[in-house]
Amino acid sequence: MTDETMNFHMNTTVVDFHADTLCKVLRDDPSVLDIKPLLSGGINLQVFALYTPEELIPHSVIPFTLEMIDLFYKWKEENRDISLILSRNDLEPVKNGRFGCLLSIEGGEALCGKLFMLDTYYRLGVRAMTLTWSNRNLLADGVSVGNNPGGLTKFGVEVVKKMNNLGMIVDVSHMAEPGFWDVMKVSSEPVIASHSNCYSIRNHPRNLKDEQILAIAEKGGVTGITFVPHFLGENPVTVEHVADHIEYIVKLTGNYNSVGLGSDFHGTDNYPSGLSDASFLPAITELLKKRGHTCKDIEKIIGGNWLRVLSQILR
């Protein structure tokens, strides 16, 4: 990599909208909560998902979610330079090079059917939520439900409206199609898919079809390209596959405004060759430059688009 490319990457605001680090720490490996790879990869804003493993649902989902939040705050105390993104004003230091984090619940199971839990999590610093994981919950069906999945329930509609009112980001990754389209109708704010790829390239049920990607774009949202190999292509999967999915969305939408990064680091056991952890993110910038994309457009892809959405939705 040239010094010019590395300098550009390290001096551009980089946002990764999905990592399962906090769950990984509590379940498997305490060593992964390490700021060094994030800083080495030029990340200025890391979104930490609060994901509860299936075996803890429903009986322990709230305690486990709270334990992840507690873990984050303890880590933040140990690393005083970390800022927690709570409002659009908190984005300014991030744009100027400070490292920030945003907390996002992955799966509406964490509400346990109680709308007031959104207020509770909001007070604790949560600013986004993936409405479902891949299974059914009280909000909607996920992509693994099977034939004839359902859409948003009455409670799910209430949750989306409440999130809009609070200034929380609504995330449709993992949702079955009927729920996805219901969210598009109900939400008054842009909607994101934090970690989903392109079905037309890789026909995996976790990936989004063209009309879904376009709907997110038309609503002002962003689709975050994830690095999970079986969402990207056939083995061997490399950073080239990540660039392919990015370029597909650019071509499909006709602009650079609707695609970002949502790595899913620590949410899978395997990664594309050349992207084993956050410190390798400059490889994406390098490849996009080699493919002829301008620095201005790459800035949007690796962080600018996420900042735009956050600036619009956060209070």
Side-chain angles (χ1 to χ4, degrees):
M1 181 178 300
T2 66
D3 290 342
E4 181 183 1
T5 298
M6 179 59 82
N7 288 335
F8 163 71
H9 180 89
M10 298 302 291
N11 288 286
T12 300
T13 304
V14 179
V15 181
D16 174 17
F17 220 89
H18 193 90
D20 282 314
T21 310
L22 299 175
C23 176
K24 181 76 171 176
V25 168
L26 294 179
R27 299 289 288 183
D28 299 308
D29 186 358
S31 70
V32 300
L33 190 54
D34 184 359
I35 197 171
K36 293 177 183 177
L38 302 173
L39 297 180
S40 296
I43 292 179
N44 301 97
L45 174 53
Q46 178 64 63
V47 177
F48 285 121
L50 305 172
Y51 168 71
T52 300
E54 292 178 81
E55 64 269 20
L56 298 182
I57 299 171
H59 58 284
S60 297
V61 61
I62 290 178
F64 193 78
T65 302
L66 294 177
E67 189 174 6
M68 286 185 284
I69 294 172
D70 180 66
L71 171 65
F72 170 78
Y73 276 103
K74 288 176 178 175
W75 183 61
K76 183 176 179 295
E77 283 295 312
E78 295 170 358
N79 298 272
R80 294 302 183 114
D81 290 336
I82 295 173
S83 62
L84 177 62
I85 306 303
L86 299 174
S87 72
R88 60 171 63 99
N89 291 333
D90 296 327
L91 297 172
E92 290 307 315
V94 169
K95 294 175 184 177
N96 292 320
R98 188 173 180 186
F99 179 76
C101 300
L102 186 141
L103 297 178
S104 177
I105 290 171
E106 185 172 17
E109 295 87 353
L111 303 179
C112 288
K114 303 296 184 181
L115 196 61
F116 76 85
M117 285 302 299
L118 264 182
D119 294 286
T120 300
Y121 288 130
Y122 187 89
R123 293 187 188 104
L124 291 173
V126 176
R127 291 297 182 268
M129 185 169 73
T130 315
L131 299 179
T132 72
W133 190 64
S134 294
N135 300 326
R136 172 176 290 134
N137 64 24
L138 295 176
L139 285 71
D141 286 352
V143 296
S144 296
V145 167
N147 295 328
N148 301 313
L152 279 179
T153 63
K154 180 180 178 181
F155 180 61
V157 171
E158 292 175 345
V159 167
V160 171
K161 290 181 177 179
K162 179 75 169 181
M163 291 178 70
N164 287 164
N165 290 335
L166 286 172
M168 294 181 70
I169 292 87
V170 177
D171 184 354
V172 294
S173 283
H174 286 282
M175 286 193 79
E177 271 199 74
F180 172 95
W181 292 113
D182 286 346
V183 171
M184 291 299 152
K185 294 175 184 176
V186 171
S187 181
S188 60
E189 297 285 355
V191 172
I192 72 160
S194 61
H195 57 305
S196 296
N197 293 347
C198 307
Y199 188 87
S200 290
I201 295 179
R202 178 67 167 170
N203 61 346
H204 190 284
R206 267 283 284 109
N207 289 341
L208 298 175
K209 296 177 181 177
D210 287 359
E211 55 266 33
Q212 293 177 289
I213 294 170
L214 287 169
I216 290 172
E218 289 166 4
K219 208 170 182 67
V222 176
T223 297
I225 300 303
T226 178
F227 306 163
V228 178
H230 52 279
F231 300 163
L232 286 166
E234 297 288 345
N235 286 326
V237 175
T238 71
V239 66
E240 300 275 354
H241 290 83
V242 175
D244 290 343
H245 283 263
I246 290 171
E247 290 183 329
Y248 185 86
I249 292 180
V250 169
K251 183 176 180 180
L252 177 68
T253 60
N255 58 62
Y256 286 84
N257 300 329
S258 307
V259 63
L261 304 178
S263 70
D264 212 350
F265 281 133
H266 306 129
T268 183
D269 294 326
N270 300 298
Y271 301 99
S273 175
L275 276 177
S276 57
D277 65 37
S279 68
F280 290 90
L281 285 181
I284 296 175
T285 296
E286 179 185 38
L287 181 55
L288 291 174
K289 285 191 73 174
K290 286 182 178 178
R291 290 190 177 191
H293 301 282
T294 68
C295 289
K296 181 179 179 181
D297 292 329
I298 294 171
E299 284 177 359
K300 292 183 178 182
I301 294 167
I302 65 176
N305 291 330
W306 288 126
L307 291 177
R308 187 196 73 245
V309 171
L310 290 171
S311 296
Q312 178 173 341
I313 297 176
L314 294 180
R315 298 291 186 254

